[in-house]
Amino acid sequence: MKILFINACREEGSRTKTLADRVLSRMSGEITEVALNKEKITPVFDDVLSMRDRLIEQGRLDDEMFGYARQFADADEIVIAAPFWDLSFPSALKAYFEVINVVGITFSYSTDGTPVGHCRAKRLIYVSSAGGYTGEDAFGFGYVRALCESLYSIKNTVRFCAEGLDIDGADVDEILKREIKKIDNYFDSEVI
Ligand SMILES: Cc1cc2nc3c(=O)[nH]c(=O)nc-3n(C[C@H](O)[C@H](O)[C@H](O)COP(=O)(O)O)c2cc1C
């Protein structure tokens, strides 16, 4: 079982990462981490887009440029950890999505123009934490869920998010403990 862990957290003291570690500890398989703070993936600027279009046209999907996309498509399980930033998530994660959204690898278009996903994963778990309250339709997760449903054909998206952590007087440990309990309950009731 190949678990792909896409980590958009700060390297030190991240509450989101604490929750993600709990999720990963409840899963079995070989974990490969893409640490976005280290990878420093650049957005898809014009020159990159031109090269990528040329490679796709030539059918060279095995080019190293598409390594992240192939890795994503090939994962059995996907876990994303991303703090709630500016009503969504860090732009490093958006840059990652730009790089993996490659026609012919993670998805393609059917003859009527509907996207069809080519991703092996059946489930994506999205882990986050927020200073305030995100609401049910939090942009960050909503966007990731839309990508899963519309492009990747990953039907099952699950979200864990500890909220209200930066509110004056918040009991951070207690909030995190509650979210960890939710994570444990989810995995305890999982039908394998
Ligand atoms: C750049 C930045 C933007 C943020 N934007 C928001 C926001 O829009 N709404 C919110 O509730 N909290 C926001 N926060 C607070 C974080 O969501 C909160 O501190 C979160 O727990 C950080 O996760 P971490 O401990 O894993 O780094 C922001 C924090 C940073 C650093």
Side-chain angles (χ1 to χ4, degrees), residues 9-10 13-17 83-88 129-133 162 165-166:
C9 300
R10 296 181 285 149
S14 164
R15 285 87 61 102
T16 312
K17 176 71 165 43
F84 193 61
W85 275 18
D86 304 325
L87 301 183
S88 64
S129 75
Y133 294 102
L165 293 176
D166 297 340

Side-chain angles (χ1 to χ4, degrees), residues 41-168:
I41 297 170
T42 46
V44 176
F45 290 115
D46 221 6
D47 51 340
V48 175
L49 192 57
S50 302
M51 188 195 286
R52 158 171 144 163
D53 286 348
R54 226 177 13 253
L55 289 168
I56 293 173
E57 228 175 82
Q58 294 166 354
R60 290 165 56 192
L61 298 179
D62 57 347
D63 192 270
E64 65 175 337
M65 175 183 252
F66 302 126
Y68 288 120
R70 288 195 302 270
Q71 182 185 48
F72 188 91
D74 200 36
D76 296 300
E77 294 264 19
I78 297 167
V79 177
I80 294 180
F84 193 61
W85 275 18
D86 304 325
L87 301 183
S88 64
F89 47 64
S91 55
L93 182 58
K94 182 68 170 73
Y96 175 82
F97 284 126
E98 281 183 5
V99 163
I100 65 158
N101 291 342
V102 179
V103 177
I105 300 182
T106 41
F107 75 104
S108 57
Y109 292 105
S110 60
T111 45
D112 69 357
T114 319
V116 182
H118 299 311
C119 297
R120 184 204 288 260
K122 302 273 176 289
R123 173 174 68 179
L124 182 146
I125 301 179
Y126 185 85
V127 185
S128 190
S129 75
Y133 294 102
T134 67
E136 272 305 299
D137 288 324
F139 294 133
F141 175 64
Y143 172 69
V144 173
R145 187 175 48 198
L147 283 176
C148 286
E149 286 172 2
S150 307
L151 291 194
Y152 311 139
S153 301
I154 298 175
K155 300 282 174 245
N156 187 3
T157 46
V158 181
R159 171 183 183 251
F160 297 104
C161 183
E163 299 188 26
L165 293 176
D166 297 340
I167 294 171
D168 262 359

